[in-house]
Amino acid sequence: MSLAQTDKYYLPQPSLWPIIGSVALLTMAVGGVMAMHEINHGLWVLLAGVAVLFFMMFGWFGEVIRDSEAGRYNKQVDSSYRWSMSWFIFSEVMFFAAFFGALFYTRVLSVPWLGESDTMQQLWPTFKAAWPTAGPGLTADGLKFTPMEAWGIPAINTLLLLSSGVTVTWAHWGLKKNNRMQLILGLGMTVTLGVVFLCLQAYEYHHAYTQMGLTLGAGVYGATFFMLTGFHGFHVLVGTTMLIVMLLRSIAGHFTAEHHFAFEAVSWYWHFVDVVWVLLFILVYWLI
Amino acid sequence: MKSMWQRAGVMGAVWAASQSALADYAYNLQEPASQVAREVFHLHNLIMLVCVGIFIIVFGMMFYSLIKHRKSVGHKAAHFHENTTVEIIWTIIPFIILVGMAYPAAKVVIEMKDTSNPDMTVKITGYQWKWGYDYLNEGVHFYSTLATPREQIDGTAAKDEHYLLEVDDPMVVPVGKRVRLLITANDVIHSWWVPAFGVKQDGIPGFIRDSWFKADKIGTYRGQCAELCGKDHGFMPIVVKVVSEEDYKAWVAKKKGSAQAAAADNTKTFDVKELVERGEKVYQANCAACHQANGMGLPGVFPAMNGSKVATGPIAAHINIVVHGGRPGTAMVGFTDRLSDAEIAAVVTYERNAWDNKMGDAAQPADIAAARGGAAVAAAPTAQ
Amino acid sequence: MSDAAHAHDDHGHHAHPTGIMRWLTTTNHKDIGSLYLWFSLIMLFTAGSMALLIRSELFEPGMQLMHPDFFNQLTTMHGLIMIFGVIMPAFTGFANWQVPLMIGAPDMAFPRMNNWSFWLLPVAGIMLLGSFWLPGGAVAGGWTMYPPLFIQGGVSYDLTILAVHIMGLSSIMGSINIITTILNMRAPGLTLMKMPMFVWTWLITAYLLIATMPVLAGAVTMLLTDRNFGTHFFNAAGGGDPVMFQHIFWFFGHPEVYILILPAFGIVSQIIPTFSRKPLFGYASMVYATASIAILSFTVWAHHMFAVGMPVAAQLFFMFSTMLIAVPTGVKVFNWVATMWKGSLTFETPMLFAIAFVCLFTIGGFSGLVLAMAPVDIQLQDTYYVVAHFHYVLVSGALFSIFAGIYYWLPKWTGHMYNETLGKTHFWLSVIGMNIVFFPMHFLGLAGMPRRIPDYALQFTEFNQIATVGAFIFGFSQLIFLVLVLKTIKGGAKASDQVWEGAQGLEWTVPSPAPYHTFETAPVVK
Ligand code: HEA
Ligand code: HEA
Ligand code: CUA
Ligand SMILES: [Cu+2]
């Protein structure tokens, strides 16, 4: 269907979606701040913003998909998408780098500093620096928690995500061979693995909060643990959602063996999320 | 060409203005009063000189070109646009100059960082907005606050010579002794800075950072907090008196005497009137910066004390917030290590009986002692 | 309509919305470029007015006009808006207008996303400026947002954090767009090493933005959770460290200052050859120098933190690496001088601003080098010396290059020549005013006046008064610029296609004003 490639560059028409997106973010930000400061209806404003954002995404992506299926994107556009997706993933890498940096800094630098020489003698005389910790002040106030063990759910989750990397690649092979059954099956399995991962992580969080005393407030260990795994989990959620869209589009007959960058972009993203998880597994769960 | 004139003009204006200057006028770093500061002074001069030299050469060339190679004087453009040799030269030469600058600088860094073998150690704590000094060897402990009266700041009284650079209780050190400083802060980051000694060290809440100085000469040296720390960042000066060894000993003895008197207060019981009178002073010195002298606070930032639910509610909660602080992260950090039992009792009593608050009750030093011992409720972030 | 070719032919002007809807929905790089530039100009006047208020309060010792907390709000918002609302949008505006024109592309790679990148900025602007009216006022913790001070504040602090997120999103999308356009949409034959310098500098700037804005987003996210969700990243009691924020912030912050100067280098590298009637000297070394600056910029961040008390090895490392940046920057300065050397120079307004840029930026660079010496910086950190340093690189650097660029390309954009007399008046008042404001600040800093204070000791009076007078001269001369721009848009002498005698490059081959759509079929570059 998208064989009708043109040599002319496709310039999209004026679009209302961006400004709708801006309104959505403004509403979300104002609502979020209201909610954080317990101002009436803050949460509703936030949700309204989210709803507008979803509306925008449906509309905008829908338009892009229609353009694509109508064959308006030539080779050059395709290659633009490749560049931009790569740079986008690079920006995500740097976002995670900030949090990995925080983990490194606290583990290797600030926690040891708190437990040695003048800082310890003058300010935190009873503190014994060791990782994991909730920090000298909170421990002194009686805060106790159990660190998360690597070889339970996290190990299973590692297996799940690694296998999902395989299944998505297998789906890609199917697509390239024009084997639509393999594509749909592979995507279906990937989505399932992603969903199971998310459920297990939700269970793990629940367990941490209710049984282990491990919360966001449990010092730097809790903070880095939840922020890193939390942002990762959020990325899995986004990735899974995108995979579901790809699944639906595959079922609807979109994509051809040559022309399927949307699928590839999602699989790149998924592999990226995978790699982050492996790092998390090693640095957050395993080497404590 | 024109640009040079214009800079000359600026320099001229600056020079002319400086002639009318009242106070000691300066184009360079303050006069150093320690070895390190002197080295920094020279280092700065050296770098300035190098930079000015390079500037003159490079822009001499440029202005020459601007004058000689103008189209209006009929100059025709040459067409060269590359020359690997000169490009290599002007990469290497700056590099060599930089190495020449880095070497002396590195020596000073290492000297500044060497805090070993001190003659005495003083722990300095930054608070919003005052400095606390602990002489660890002598057991002397006091706070140092801006002494400039409000009227001078508001412009209703003439400003005196050391406007904003004067404190009620300066730090005192003996001359020619290596003083090691352990610097920290209690609420937000502050920075202890005395230019003449070449010391600037941020106080980081929860951490101790050290620095040192050895003052050459007897005299009074002034500095300021050098890290934005909130509303009154501009109003927390530092004054260090460098005195002879004997004067220093006498000063220590006097400080110890007044500490004993203060300790004695903590075991007494006062009546409301006494407490309110004393509490007003404590309030003005410690609380008015935020909650304002008239008790009205600053809406949205600092709550009003006048009519406050806490100040007109159960006294135990009131004592608790003053001793242990407000919600974590707020500017209301507990005063447990800043005020004595008697002072806290006084200020709490004052707040409950000042302005429109007419509670009539009083807190006694013993109540405060009890509150200190009690569980730290939602301890402030830097609880110790 | 489903036929691609038809859709393409169809976007004649009648198909476009008009009035406000044109601007809200536009996907045209020229429209979006203009939006960016107008936004930037409005913000310049807003944040500049704040600077004038700051300078007025500092005219003499004592508190005259405002409460200290409001002073801190002004300082903070002035810094935030100048950086995120003036300089960065202005450069992005230039990129939008010029990059497609210079590389022979019909538009940006992602025209719709381009629109969104812009329309996020007013959202962030509303959030920042609106917070002045919230209880407690706007943020007052400095544009650097250091905790724990930043944790203490009220509602507006959270709003500002989210505004920074939104501006970051805008920058990242904008940069992805620009980088993709440059890498993928060059006209046939335009190899990387034939690209105009401005395009090169933006390519590298975009890379810096994509690498650092997410880090800033991470840092402010941690602030947000420390403030609202009980984490302890920056609190020693929980094992964190307030200084950690500074490390993460400056890991972003130092590359950020090169984000604010590299496009300026690019603009100046276009202008100087034009008015020297001679090709840019050392093109290849310019490219390598720009890349080296970008790479080095990731290794120097802690020179903003010499006073926090780092271990001696770290102190030395960051001192050396910072000094190293003088080498590639020097290469650029020398190349500009060598470009002028033996040229056939004329001094139209763009050239005047470009020359002032080279000269005054170097002053700022030298004061940067003075600050790079850790022991000297320990004396000067958080004083007006730093304020002098960064205004030399930002005002006579970034801002002057923006003026230069506007004068240079305005005839191409509007089809009219600007009024040269007005332009020169603007230049001279600016350059004189600017030096009167900021030169004395070096002396203030050396003498020991801290920055971010609303009131000062008596010995600082005279220089502060000079600076304040200069600020008003400089500030009000910007009204001339505003008038000039408006007049040029309305009318004026007709500009030729080439506009400037010595101008080279694709943008000068299209008519002036540049038509709404250009290069729909790519030009071929030999
Ligand atoms: C456009 C923005 C910009 C640019 C380009 C620079 C460029 C440089 N900056 Fe600056 N800087 C800022 C914006 C910028 N800075 C800002 C905003 C702050 C304050 C932030 C805050 O705290 O709010 C700051 C603060 C700042 C500090 C911290 C000060 C402090 O808070 O204590 C330091 C310290 O090292 C520093 C150094 C430098 C150096 C070495 C360069 C170098 O890149 C300069 C290189 C250029 C030259 C050296 C001149 C040309 C070279 C030659 C002619 C070659 C020959 C020269 C020699 C061999 C000497 N800067
Ligand atoms: C690109 C960035 C940029 C630019 C262009 C400027 C421009 C100016 N800046 Fe600023 N400045 C910063 C970036 C910038 N600044 C930063 C990052 C800080 C640090 C903040 C912090 O500490 O956190 C700072 C801090 C700062 C301070 C220190 C404040 C303090 O420490 O307390 C001062 C003090 O003099 C100052 C002054 C000025 C002045 C006089 C100008 C002038 O150039 C302004 C010229 C004025 C105008 C252009 C406005 C014209 C307006 C009119 C003519 C009125 C008409 C009005 C309407 C039509 C509405 N700036
Ligand atoms: Cu304390 Cu600034
Ligand atoms: Cu820097």
Side-chain angles (χ1 to χ4, degrees):
Chain A
M1 70 229 60
S2 36
L3 293 174
Q5 294 211 343
T6 79
D7 277 346
K8 283 226 166 163
Y9 193 73
Y10 173 66
L11 287 177
Q13 293 295 302
S15 169
L16 258 178
W17 297 119
I19 191 75
I20 295 175
S22 292
V23 171
L25 287 190
L26 180 62
T27 319
M28 281 167 66
V30 171
V33 170
M34 287 167 71
M36 285 186 284
H37 289 268
E38 281 145 25
I39 298 169
N40 279 345
H41 310 306
L43 211 56
W44 290 109
V45 178
L46 176 63
L47 287 176
V50 174
V52 179
L53 189 74
F54 273 112
F55 170 65
M56 176 275 246
M57 291 204 286
F58 271 109
W60 191 333
F61 293 147
E63 206 165 285
V64 173
I65 292 171
R66 272 191 304 279
D67 283 348
S68 165
E69 290 303 307
R72 285 183 198 135
Y73 295 161
N74 60 13
K75 277 263 150 31
Q76 193 176 25
V77 177
D78 187 70
S79 142
S80 283
Y81 279 125
R82 281 167 202 278
W83 277 118
S84 61
M85 190 67 196
S86 322
W87 286 104
F88 168 66
I89 290 179
F90 174 54
S91 78
E92 292 270 35
V93 169
M94 294 310 288
F95 181 74
F96 276 99
F99 290 91
F100 277 111
L103 176 65
F104 169 83
Y105 186 94
T106 47
R107 268 182 85 154
V108 179
L109 299 170
S110 71
V111 167
W113 281 338
L114 285 166
E116 68 187 28
S117 63
D118 298 312
T119 298
M120 189 269 272
Q121 285 157 24
Q122 295 287 332
L123 302 177
W124 315 105
T126 57
F127 182 59
K128 304 259 176 310
W131 189 266
T133 178
L138 305 188
T139 337
D141 287 351
L143 189 141
K144 281 203 179 53
F145 69 88
T146 325
M148 190 58 75
E149 165 65 31
W151 299 110
I153 292 179
I156 299 173
N157 267 345
T158 310
L159 281 180
L160 290 178
L161 272 196
L162 288 180
S163 340
S164 77
V166 174
T167 54
V168 80
T169 309
W170 186 68
H172 192 193
W173 289 345
L175 179 51
K176 283 204 286 205
K177 285 186 304 205
N178 250 329
N179 182 341
R180 199 148 284 266
M181 248 351 267
Q182 184 177 337
L183 167 66
I184 292 173
L185 208 66
L187 272 174
M189 288 195 294
T190 316
V191 168
T192 315
L193 289 168
V195 171
V196 175
F197 174 95
L198 284 170
C199 295
L200 285 180
Q201 193 173 24
Y203 173 78
E204 176 192 282
Y205 276 17
H206 180 76
H207 187 71
Y209 261 77
T210 50
Q211 314 285 314
M212 303 166 70
L214 178 55
T215 65
L216 255 185
V220 277
Y221 177 75
T224 49
F225 174 82
F226 279 105
M227 293 299 274
L228 273 164
T229 57
F231 271 116
H232 175 266
F234 177 71
H235 280 73
V236 175
L237 181 67
V238 172
T240 310
T241 315
M242 296 195 301
L243 282 169
I244 292 175
V245 174
M246 292 306 122
L247 181 59
L248 296 178
R249 286 186 66 186
S250 307
I251 295 172
H254 291 190
F255 308 130
T256 63
E258 300 77 36
H259 205 75
H260 53 252
F261 181 67
F263 174 89
E264 278 183 73
V266 174
S267 77
W268 290 357
Y269 188 84
W270 193 251
H271 288 309
F272 153 73
V273 172
D274 232 6
V275 173
V276 173
W277 176 261
V278 174
L279 284 176
L280 281 179
F281 181 71
I282 297 173
L283 295 173
V284 175
Y285 291 99
W286 189 3
L287 299 178
I288 45 175
Chain B
M1 179 71 199
K2 286 173 181 162
S3 195
M4 204 142 74
W5 279 118
Q6 147 252 316
R7 236 202 327 288
V10 175
M11 294 301 292
V14 167
W15 178 82
S18 74
Q19 297 310 297
S20 64
L22 311 155
D24 40 331
Y25 221 69
Y27 298 98
N28 205 336
L29 289 164
Q30 288 181 22
E31 197 190 326
S34 79
Q35 181 60 25
V36 166
R38 214 162 10 253
E39 279 166 25
V40 171
F41 189 88
H42 293 312
L43 191 60
H44 173 255
N45 286 351
L46 171 80
I47 301 161
M48 264 321 282
L49 221 65
V50 173
C51 288
V52 171
I54 301 177
F55 191 84
I56 291 174
I57 297 171
V58 175
F59 290 95
M61 300 271 283
M62 187 179 89
F63 281 105
Y64 176 84
S65 172
L66 294 189
I67 295 161
K68 292 285 181 184
H69 303 152
R70 272 179 296 169
K71 193 182 177 199
S72 57
V73 299
H75 195 271
K76 293 269 180 308
H79 285 286
F80 63 86
H81 58 86
E82 240 168 14
N83 184 330
T84 315
T85 325
V86 300
E87 286 175 54
I88 291 178
I89 292 176
W90 70 40
T91 313
I92 306 248
I93 290 185
F95 185 79
I96 295 172
I97 298 176
L98 289 172
V99 173
M101 286 155 70
Y103 180 72
K107 283 212 305 212
V108 184
V109 170
I110 291 166
E111 187 176 346
M112 276 178 149
K113 280 276 165 190
D114 176 12
T115 54
S116 56
N117 303 321
D119 297 317
M120 58 186 278
T121 305
V122 182
K123 179 179 161 205
I124 302 177
T125 309
Y127 299 90
Q128 282 173 319
W129 292 279
K130 67 174 77 166
W131 293 98
Y133 294 95
D134 273 293
Y135 285 61
L136 296 182
N137 316 54
E138 289 81 2
V140 169
H141 174 73
F142 62 95
Y143 295 95
S144 177
T145 324
L146 177 75
T148 302
R150 193 72 239 170
E151 295 74 43
Q152 292 191 14
I153 297 174
D154 292 339
T156 49
K159 301 182 174 37
D160 54 70
E161 194 190 342
H162 294 300
Y163 176 70
L164 291 190
L165 295 180
E166 50 201 350
V167 297
D168 53 359
D169 206 352
M171 177 184 188
V172 177
V173 294
V175 68
K177 288 266 152 40
R178 248 176 103 93
V179 185
R180 179 158 177 259
L181 306 170
L182 301 182
I183 298 169
T184 183
N186 189 56
D187 31 44
V188 302
I189 303 176
H190 302 266
S191 191
W192 195 86
W193 178 36
V194 177
F197 300 153
V199 175
K200 181 185 283 148
Q201 175 58 59
D202 291 357
I204 317 283
F207 291 84
I208 296 267
R209 297 293 158 89
D210 64 349
S211 189
W212 71 280
F213 69 86
K214 186 165 96 177
D216 300 335
K217 276 198 304 259
I218 290 180
T220 306
Y221 300 93
R222 294 166 203 277
Q224 276 176 275
C225 176
E227 181 65 61
L228 179 60
C229 52
K231 179 172 78 68
D232 282 353
H233 161 60
F235 303 92
M236 55 182 292
I238 295 149
V239 178
V240 181
K241 272 201 172 125
V242 177
V243 297
S244 68
E245 187 71 37
E246 303 80 69
D247 289 355
Y248 175 69
K249 293 232 169 71
W251 176 80
V252 170
K254 194 171 125 240
K255 276 284 172 201
K256 283 193 170 150
S258 53
Q260 269 155 13
D265 273 355
N266 288 346
T267 54
K268 288 191 196 144
T269 311
F270 299 91
D271 62 33
V272 179
K273 198 162 146 283
E274 272 177 303
L275 285 168
V276 168
E277 269 168 21
R278 180 157 183 198
E280 181 165 8
K281 294 206 193 75
V282 178
Y283 182 86
Q284 297 304 344
N286 295 281
C287 322
C290 295
H291 297 295
Q292 305 301 315
N294 60 8
M296 298 314 290
L298 289 179
V301 191
F302 305 118
M305 291 294 104
N306 190 9
S308 144
K309 286 219 176 61
V310 176
T312 56
I315 194 160
H318 190 175
I319 293 175
N320 185 60
I321 200 169
V322 180
V323 172
H324 297 296
R327 285 170 300 132
T330 58
M332 184 68 199
V333 180
F335 281 81
T336 177
D337 60 340
R338 279 188 273 178
L339 297 176
S340 70
D341 291 354
E343 285 167 325
I344 295 181
V347 77
V348 167
T349 312
Y350 170 72
E351 281 182 344
R352 301 178 76 77
N353 295 289
W355 318 294
D356 302 334
N357 299 351
K358 301 268 177 303
M359 298 303 289
D361 54 358
Q364 293 299 341
D367 302 333
I368 312 299
R372 281 190 208 273
V377 186
T382 52
Q384 290 164 24
Chain C
M1 262 309 190
S2 61
D3 172 18
H6 181 205
H8 181 253
D9 292 338
D10 193 53
H11 58 229
H13 296 275
H14 55 274
H16 281 266
T18 49
I20 175 83
M21 287 314 277
R22 164 177 171 195
W23 299 103
L24 285 178
T25 62
T26 181
T27 48
N28 179 286
H29 72 105
K30 300 185 183 80
D31 282 354
I32 295 173
S34 305
L35 284 171
Y36 267 111
L37 289 166
W38 279 113
F39 178 80
S40 161
L41 189 64
I42 294 168
M43 286 298 133
L44 174 69
F45 277 91
T46 314
S49 307
M50 293 176 195
L52 296 185
L53 280 173
I54 293 173
R55 288 296 348 148
S56 307
E57 175 60 55
L58 291 176
F59 183 68
E60 53 186 24
M63 297 305 299
Q64 288 86 28
L65 302 175
M66 58 189 77
H67 191 272
D69 198 56
F70 185 64
F71 181 91
N72 291 345
Q73 294 173 29
L74 287 178
T75 301
T76 307
M77 292 302 266
H78 164 73
L80 277 173
I81 294 180
M82 280 292 186
I83 285 180
F84 292 106
V86 177
I87 306 293
M88 292 171 65
F91 283 149
T92 316
F94 277 111
N96 263 290
W97 258 103
Q98 287 308 124
V99 167
L101 282 181
M102 290 173 131
I103 64 173
D107 205 300
M108 299 290 276
F110 304 105
R112 278 179 291 225
M113 186 167 84
N114 202 16
N115 173 305
W116 203 25
S117 301
F118 171 76
W119 279 107
L120 284 175
L121 287 181
V123 167
I126 291 170
M127 287 163 65
L128 285 177
L129 290 172
S131 59
F132 271 111
W133 286 273
L134 293 177
V139 282
W143 83 279
T144 48
M145 305 184 275
Y146 285 4
L149 185 59
F150 212 80
I151 306 223
Q152 286 183 349
V155 200
S156 57
Y157 287 69
D158 293 311
L159 209 57
T160 301
I161 289 173
L162 295 175
V164 169
H165 278 121
I166 290 178
M167 291 187 290
L169 194 63
S170 154
S171 295
I172 292 172
M173 290 194 303
S175 307
I176 291 181
N177 216 332
I178 292 170
I179 227 168
T180 308
T181 308
I182 298 176
L183 290 175
N184 193 42
M185 301 192 42
R186 273 169 287 128
L190 189 67
T191 58
L192 281 178
M193 288 310 273
K194 277 190 196 160
M195 287 195 313
M197 260 325 277
F198 177 72
V199 180
W200 254 115
T201 53
W202 244 112
L203 178 66
I204 293 171
T205 304
Y207 157 75
L208 286 179
L209 276 164
I210 298 175
T212 59
M213 291 311 276
V215 176
L216 174 66
V220 296
T221 304
M222 291 181 223
L223 273 184
L224 191 74
T225 57
D226 265 19
R227 285 174 53 82
N228 298 296
F229 303 104
T231 56
H232 295 83
F233 285 107
F234 308 129
N235 182 347
D241 183 351
V243 173
M244 180 166 84
F245 177 84
Q246 302 184 17
H247 281 290
I248 307 176
F249 180 86
W250 288 115
F251 182 84
F252 144 81
H254 190 84
E256 166 74 10
V257 308
Y258 294 118
I259 289 164
L260 300 170
I261 206 69
L262 292 185
F265 289 169
I267 293 173
V268 168
S269 303
Q270 297 302 127
I271 292 174
I272 291 183
T274 298
F275 297 96
S276 307
R277 292 166 183 75
K278 199 167 149 272
L280 183 65
F281 187 87
Y283 173 86
S285 67
M286 284 299 232
V287 171
Y288 300 140
T290 313
S292 322
I293 293 175
I295 292 164
L296 281 175
S297 75
F298 287 102
T299 65
V300 303
W301 73 88
H303 65 214
H304 295 271
M305 304 162 54
F306 283 141
V308 302
M310 287 178 293
V312 69
Q315 206 98 336
L316 290 175
F317 171 80
F318 287 108
M319 176 168 91
F320 296 149
S321 60
T322 305
M323 293 171 69
L324 220 51
I325 295 200
V327 175
T329 317
V331 167
K332 304 205 73 120
V333 172
F334 302 141
N335 279 332
W336 288 321
V337 175
T339 306
M340 290 184 241
W341 190 255
K342 298 215 159 143
S344 176
L345 300 165
T346 52
F347 301 99
E348 288 86 348
T349 313
M351 183 64 167
L352 288 176
F353 271 109
I355 293 172
F357 171 94
V358 176
C359 192
L360 298 175
F361 167 78
T362 304
I363 296 186
F366 283 151
S367 57
L369 206 66
V370 170
L371 291 169
M373 306 285 133
V376 183
D377 182 68
I378 284 176
Q379 284 286 34
L380 296 174
Q381 158 109 75
D382 265 291
T383 66
Y384 263 76
Y385 194 91
V386 178
V387 178
H389 158 65
F390 67 72
H391 283 93
Y392 264 86
V393 282
L394 285 170
V395 177
S396 54
L399 190 60
F400 273 22
S401 82
I402 291 167
F403 289 143
I406 300 272
Y407 284 107
Y408 186 55
W409 283 307
L410 201 55
K412 175 57 63 190
W413 299 342
T414 62
H416 304 296
M417 289 308 285
Y418 59 87
N419 179 325
E420 196 66 60
T421 323
L422 267 189
K424 290 212 162 100
T425 319
H426 173 228
F427 168 76
W428 284 110
L429 285 173
S430 294
V431 88
I432 293 169
M434 183 272 157
N435 280 289
I436 301 179
V437 204
F438 298 115
F439 206 79
M441 289 186 185
H442 292 111
F443 302 132
L444 286 172
L446 287 166
M449 176 168 165
R451 65 193 274 205
R452 294 168 168 168
I453 57 172
D455 191 5
Y456 50 85
L458 302 182
Q459 68 265 35
F460 304 129
T461 313
E462 287 76 15
F463 282 138
N464 269 301
Q465 290 181 334
I466 297 172
T468 301
V469 171
F472 277 86
I473 300 177
F474 181 75
F476 279 88
S477 21
Q478 304 322 312
L479 293 175
I480 303 180
F481 177 69
L482 182 65
V483 170
L484 178 143
V485 171
L486 291 173
K487 278 181 66 168
T488 315
I489 292 173
K490 280 232 186 76
K494 185 86 190 66
S496 69
D497 289 1
Q498 204 197 358
V499 184
W500 312 108
E501 190 189 27
Q504 306 280 326
L506 286 177
E507 80 256 47
W508 308 110
T509 62
V510 301
S512 305
Y516 199 62
H517 294 289
T518 36
F519 300 126
E520 296 196 294
T521 38
V524 176
V525 180
K526 308 159 278 9

